[in-house]
Amino acid sequence: MITISKLSYSFGRQLALKDISFSMKQGEFVFLCGPSGAGKTTLMRILHGALPVQRGKVDVAGYDLNTLTESRKHLLRRDVSVVFQDFKILPNQTVFANVGLPLVVRGIARHIIDKRVRAVLRSLHLDQKAGVPCEELSGGEQQRVAVARAVVVKPKLLLADEPTGNLDRELSLRMMDIFQQFHRFGTSIMIATHNQEIMERMAEARIVTLEDGVMHEGKKNGDQQ
Ligand SMILES: Nc1ncnc2c1ncn2[C@@H]1O[C@H](COP(=O)(O)OP(=O)(O)O)[C@@H](O)[C@H]1O
Ligand SMILES: [Mg+2]
């Protein structure tokens, strides 16, 4: 699903990713942990084609990102969904419109969109909010809208950047149940997180750590367990 070989990325003179090699099989569930500034968001943006591969080789969901042209990136994004750290939802549009948008863009029939959106909203306990503009939602509700929009297209790979950052404990655990359900249906999942508890509850998940742009397998030094 993901093959990365000797990837480095810099913002000007700031080296954000340093010679990363990593691979993730189809169907894997991976936690990407590490402190703020470690490079988690940068890596996710590269995997989604939002930042270029400056050095090294990256292959995602069968797409060679070294050669994927701008005009073909929409193909990658059909298979790879992202939940952004800052949501990127449309504030003046309703919950329903935001979640249905990726299906509308794909030209899917209205009645199917209706059914799929309602089902996803129900699973995230957002069905009561379907007609509400997103700017009227709490941070946690907006975060769930972002997750709903990412999973509604049934992606092969789901990248979620700190998806529980704005949620309380109960909602974070519920959110993990949703990810787990999608994982059981076959979606490969990578979640960037600081949240120890959710990592510990997912015994089957693999954990990789980024620290100052360097990746290693397992938790970082100093973590319990
Ligand atoms: N747009 C940017 N311009 C300059 N530096 C950036 C930019 N985005 C991130 N960085 C730097 O790259 C490093 C990694 O950031 P980031 O990927 O956001 O880490 P994380 O998501 O793990 O907190 C940090 O040092 C950060 O300051
Ligand atoms: Mg980040």
Side-chain angles (χ1 to χ4, degrees):
M1 188 55 64
I2 299 176
T3 309
I4 298 174
S5 171
K6 296 183 175 298
L7 170 68
S8 294
Y9 192 91
S10 60
F11 294 99
R13 282 173 27 211
Q14 167 78 30
L15 200 51
L17 297 175
K18 300 172 186 166
D19 203 30
I20 285 175
S21 294
F22 166 82
S23 68
M24 175 178 172
K25 294 195 194 76
Q26 185 176 347
E28 267 196 296
F29 194 123
V30 174
F31 282 121
L32 179 63
C33 65
S36 179
K40 303 182 295 297
T41 297
T42 302
L43 178 60
M44 290 208 160
R45 292 176 71 195
I46 292 170
L47 294 175
H48 188 236
L51 289 175
V53 180
Q54 291 175 338
R55 275 185 79 163
K57 289 195 63 60
V58 181
D59 194 285
V60 178
Y63 297 92
D64 176 351
L65 300 197
N66 292 74
T67 58
L68 188 70
T69 55
E70 204 59 44
S71 62
R72 289 171 58 83
K73 279 188 181 160
H74 68 282
L75 297 173
L76 170 73
R77 290 177 186 147
R78 279 194 175 194
D79 292 332
V80 182
S81 278
V82 193
V83 180
F84 296 97
Q85 199 166 1
D86 56 359
F87 319 142
K88 294 201 171 22
I89 53 182
L90 305 169
N92 54 357
Q93 300 275 312
T94 65
V95 169
F96 190 98
N98 267 279
V99 176
L101 186 63
L103 300 176
V104 173
V105 168
R106 285 166 171 74
I108 291 169
R110 193 77 235 174
H111 68 282
I112 298 176
I113 294 180
D114 237 66
K115 230 170 87 183
R116 292 247 302 260
V117 171
R118 301 251 170 238
V120 169
L121 291 183
R122 249 193 324 276
S123 69
L124 282 158
H125 297 259
L126 283 168
D127 35 344
Q128 300 301 317
K129 302 278 180 185
V132 176
C134 285
E135 61 202 353
E136 293 174 23
L137 301 177
S138 71
E141 286 166 342
Q142 292 190 20
Q143 199 150 31
R144 281 182 285 152
V145 171
V147 171
R149 187 186 51 189
V151 297
V152 77
V153 296
K154 302 183 180 165
K156 289 186 189 154
L157 172 64
L158 178 68
L159 305 171
D161 197 354
E162 309 210 21
T164 61
N166 289 281
L167 304 182
D168 61 24
R169 179 171 181 276
E170 193 195 335
L171 279 175
S172 296
L173 298 179
R174 199 189 286 164
M175 175 82 72
M176 288 312 299
D177 288 342
I178 310 275
F179 284 128
Q180 234 165 337
Q181 271 177 40
F182 279 92
H183 181 234
R184 284 197 203 102
F185 283 120
T187 304
S188 308
I189 298 184
M190 180 188 274
I191 298 180
T193 187
H194 293 293
N195 189 324
Q196 284 293 332
E197 187 182 9
I198 65 169
M199 280 191 262
E200 275 152 23
R201 283 172 69 101
M202 278 286 301
E204 69 269 41
R206 172 178 159 202
I207 298 178
V208 294
T209 301
L210 264 178
E211 235 171 342
D212 202 15
V214 178
M215 184 183 273
H216 53 91
E217 202 71 34
K219 282 190 193 177
K220 63 177 183 285
N221 296 333
D223 284 347
Q224 307 97 329
Q225 193 193 337

